[in-house]
Amino acid sequence: MMEEKKPIDRKRESGGYADIGSKEEGAIMEMRDIGGRALIIKERAIYEMVMADTIDPKRTNINLPTTIQKLIIDKGTESEVVSRTLLTAMTLFNKDYIVDSIDCKKIISLAIDLLSEISILEKEIKEYQLAEDSASNEYEERKKQLSSYKLPSVVSLESKCKTIFQKADHVEQTLMDIIVNFYPNIGLTKQSHFPNLHQKLKEKYNENDSFVLFIGNAIHFMQVIRELRNGLDHRLDHTKVLDYELQSNGDIISPTIELQHKKIKLERTSLHEFLEHTFINVIDIVELTFAFLAQKNVREGGIPHLVREIPEDKRRNKFIRYCFWSPLGQGGYYNQ
């Protein structure tokens, strides 16, 4: 005689359905199991579905919903940032193309963490830029109204910068974690930085290898970010963030940033513009690092596969630029 199931067992094991997010977030474009994490990718949001048994494996609380939605990021397939990072990783780090020694699901899970860091970095940069734009606009309005003179300023400027460069440094650390999973035996750790990565890759390949050259070109930028973070964290004299300044001729200089480290320099420059370039560079470095990692770790034998840039007229997602290409049919096949 079968033992009658408890009410909580019947609830947890019964079928059902759930609306994911809101209609405003668009359609569900893809669902993936990423190392036990159920990822739901919509046009304008990404969710993780968590089962009640994951939270309450001993089934002690019948009131828990059977499934729980967790918003990962309020952007989806329509986002350039999401497409050039997480979705590019999901396209390239496919177990059908990557060598067996690489745990592709673990890499994608790390790419989710990386996207979270990038998303916070983007938010912090935009909030700063809005604050600067608001201060500048207020100053111009006061000038038109012939109000009493007031120099514009950004409240908590140094604190805002400290948060931004901490996040930029976190992006490098998470990216390095991904890289170490591809190269576990060459002397790199999650705490390594780009100069060390460059040296180790040069030893593994050669100094004229395209991946080595790419990392070499990225070193200076990554070191600037690292030293700005250190300088702001420890209030070091070589790192200067200056608010609006009035010049003797009556002109006003908008906020600037400067780094005069003994080895790494950043000449005084517009903070607004530097942050804009910082975010662009971060996305470029992540995207191209993913492409090189995939090409360097492609499985051999059978039909040859190469990582190639997808022609714009062949892209399923206009922002995903790289995928594996096979010499099949006219023009080859782009595995998107």
Side-chain angles (χ1 to χ4, degrees):
M1 182 176 178
M2 292 183 63
E3 183 179 346
E4 185 177 354
K5 288 186 177 181
K6 298 176 183 177
I8 192 170
D9 295 327
R10 289 197 296 271
K11 180 181 179 182
R12 296 278 177 93
E13 295 165 12
S14 62
Y17 72 93
D19 292 323
I20 309 299
S22 66
K23 290 182 180 179
E24 289 72 27
E25 293 165 344
I28 293 175
M29 305 303 290
E30 192 171 357
M31 298 179 68
R32 286 277 194 102
D33 175 7
I34 307 297
R37 301 172 71 178
L39 216 62
I40 293 91
I41 302 172
K42 303 184 73 175
E43 291 174 301
R44 290 178 287 281
I46 299 177
Y47 286 86
E48 182 180 352
M49 286 291 286
V50 182
M51 307 303 293
D53 278 355
T54 302
I55 298 169
D56 178 31
K58 293 184 179 179
R59 297 187 172 181
T60 60
N61 184 359
I62 195 171
N63 296 316
L64 274 181
T66 306
T67 58
I68 299 97
Q69 303 175 26
K70 178 182 176 184
L71 180 65
I72 299 291
I73 183 174
D74 58 353
K75 295 182 178 69
T77 58
E78 292 182 353
S79 161
E80 180 176 358
V81 171
V82 171
S83 299
R84 294 181 64 193
T85 56
L86 177 60
L87 299 187
T88 293
M90 293 172 68
T91 300
L92 290 170
F93 304 139
N94 183 325
K95 64 182 179 62
D96 294 333
Y97 298 96
I98 300 296
V99 294
D100 289 334
S101 60
I102 304 300
D103 184 345
C104 289
K105 287 188 175 181
K106 181 179 180 182
I107 299 299
I108 301 302
S109 186
L110 286 169
I112 296 170
D113 297 338
L114 180 66
L115 175 60
S116 295
E117 296 287 1
I118 289 172
S119 179
I120 297 170
L121 173 64
E122 181 181 31
K123 173 178 171 290
E124 295 292 341
I125 288 175
K126 285 184 175 179
E127 285 184 358
Y128 167 75
Q129 290 174 327
L130 285 172
E132 184 181 315
D133 291 342
S134 177
S136 296
N137 292 337
E138 181 186 348
Y139 171 72
E140 292 300 330
E141 285 301 315
R142 289 176 65 85
K143 275 177 55 177
K144 291 177 186 176
Q145 296 167 11
L146 302 176
S147 301
S148 58
Y149 192 87
K150 178 185 176 183
L151 190 67
S153 66
V154 176
V155 177
S156 303
L157 174 61
E158 192 165 313
S159 178
K160 285 179 168 63
C161 287
K162 181 177 177 180
T163 300
I164 287 169
F165 291 108
Q166 282 176 342
K167 282 300 162 188
D169 194 50
H170 290 171
V171 170
E172 185 204 14
Q173 291 172 12
T174 310
L175 179 59
M176 191 59 65
D177 196 359
I178 291 172
I179 293 168
V180 168
N181 276 271
F182 282 91
Y183 299 103
N185 301 314
I186 64 173
L188 293 171
T189 70
K190 292 187 291 186
Q191 288 74 39
S192 298
H193 299 289
F194 266 49
N196 188 225
L197 170 63
H198 183 248
Q199 181 59 39
K200 296 298 182 182
L201 290 178
K202 192 159 57 172
E203 293 169 5
K204 181 173 179 62
Y205 302 117
N206 63 71
E207 62 183 14
N208 295 316
D209 177 84
S210 56
F211 191 15
V212 173
L213 292 172
F214 165 70
I215 295 298
N217 288 333
I219 284 176
H220 181 262
F221 168 74
M222 298 302 282
Q223 286 183 301
V224 167
I225 298 303
R226 180 73 180 165
E227 293 304 334
L228 285 172
R229 187 237 164 111
N230 287 339
L232 290 165
D233 273 355
H234 303 294
R235 304 181 67 85
L236 302 177
D237 291 340
H238 62 54
T239 301
K240 291 184 173 63
V241 178
L242 300 175
D243 207 339
Y244 287 89
E245 283 191 322
L246 178 63
Q247 304 297 292
S248 59
N249 62 1
D251 290 342
I252 288 181
I253 298 177
S254 60
T256 59
I257 189 165
E258 180 180 4
L259 175 67
Q260 292 300 327
H261 184 270
K262 58 185 178 181
K263 294 182 180 178
I264 309 299
K265 311 288 185 186
L266 174 67
E267 297 306 319
R268 188 177 182 187
T269 188
S270 161
L271 179 57
H272 196 291
E273 290 180 10
F274 181 72
L275 293 179
E276 189 76 29
H277 290 304
T278 292
F279 191 71
I280 291 170
N281 286 347
V282 164
I283 299 302
D284 285 346
I285 288 169
V286 168
E287 177 188 45
L288 286 166
T289 298
F290 285 175
F292 279 115
L293 288 173
Q295 183 58 67
K296 290 295 188 183
N297 292 275
V298 63
R299 63 171 69 240
E300 298 178 353
I303 300 171
H305 296 101
L306 301 170
V307 173
R308 284 197 174 178
E309 185 167 356
I310 310 164
E312 289 189 22
D313 62 342
K314 295 184 182 295
R315 294 178 189 173
R316 293 180 185 174
N317 178 320
K318 65 180 179 180
F319 297 123
I320 298 178
R321 299 197 300 162
Y322 297 98
C323 75
F324 278 105
W325 174 90
S326 306
L328 300 173
Q330 185 175 2
Y333 174 70
Y334 292 89
N335 183 48
Q336 304 177 62

